[in-house]
């Protein structure tokens, strides 16, 4: 059974930082591209950051320079370090595991940026 379990969300003030984690099980983690997506109320789910199995990264323009995605294949975990958070970063953040044949989602973790 495949599981992607996100953690690390919460309430933070503008300008603050959070680190999201996504622990994967039931997959050969190292061969999957891993990503973070987010969905704000009334909006579509959008890509935030992706890290390929080779370690290449891609970011949404809105988070470049503020967010960093990384992975630890030994721990089957992908991280999203979020700095200089803005109210517009408020959303449910979802972890994604993607390969040529398979695609999986986590249950999501809420991030709220507010004073």
């Amino acid at each position: 059974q495949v599981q992607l379990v996100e953690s690390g969300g919460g309430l933070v003030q503008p300008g603050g930082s959070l680190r999201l984690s996504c622990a994967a099980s039931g997959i050969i983690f190292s061969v999957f591209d891993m990503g973070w997506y987010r969905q704000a109320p009334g909006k579509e789910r959008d890509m935030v950051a992706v890290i390929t199995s080779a370690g290449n990264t891609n970011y949404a323009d809105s988070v470049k320079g503020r967010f960093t995605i990384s992975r630890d294949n030994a721990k089957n975990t992908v991280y999203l370090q979020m700095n200089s958070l803005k109210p517009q970063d408020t959303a449910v953040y979802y972890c994604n595991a993607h390969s040529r044949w398979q695609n999986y989602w986590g249950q999501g973790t809420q991030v709220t940026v507010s004073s």
Side-chain angles (χ1 to χ4, degrees):
Q1 182 183 359
V2 177
Q3 283 191 311
L4 300 177
V5 180
E6 300 104 332
S7 61
L11 173 64
V12 63
Q13 292 186 344
S17 297
L18 282 175
R19 187 195 196 201
L20 304 184
S21 300
C22 171
S25 60
I27 60 173
I28 303 174
F29 183 81
S30 61
V31 305
F32 277 75
D33 296 341
M34 300 299 298
W36 288 97
Y37 292 71
R38 66 187 182 187
Q39 188 168 19
K43 295 188 177 181
E44 295 184 350
R45 188 175 299 187
D46 293 324
M47 187 274 288
V48 175
V50 173
I51 184 166
T52 70
S53 58
N56 299 312
T57 58
N58 187 35
Y59 296 92
D61 287 343
S62 59
V63 307
K64 283 181 180 177
R66 299 189 298 123
F67 291 11
T68 302
I69 189 171
S70 61
R71 65 189 295 161
D72 185 337
N73 289 344
K75 295 182 178 180
N76 287 1
T77 301
V78 60
Y79 305 97
L80 185 68
Q81 178 66 44
M82 305 186 294
N83 298 328
S84 302
L85 282 161
K86 305 174 180 180
Q88 52 264 47
D89 294 319
T90 295
V92 178
Y93 284 69
Y94 295 91
C95 178
N96 174 263
H98 177 79
S99 71
R100 182 175 180 181
W101 308 108
Q102 299 166 302
N103 192 61
Y104 301 105
W105 293 94
Q107 81 287 351
T109 186
Q110 177 70 46
V111 172
T112 302
V113 185
S114 175
S115 56

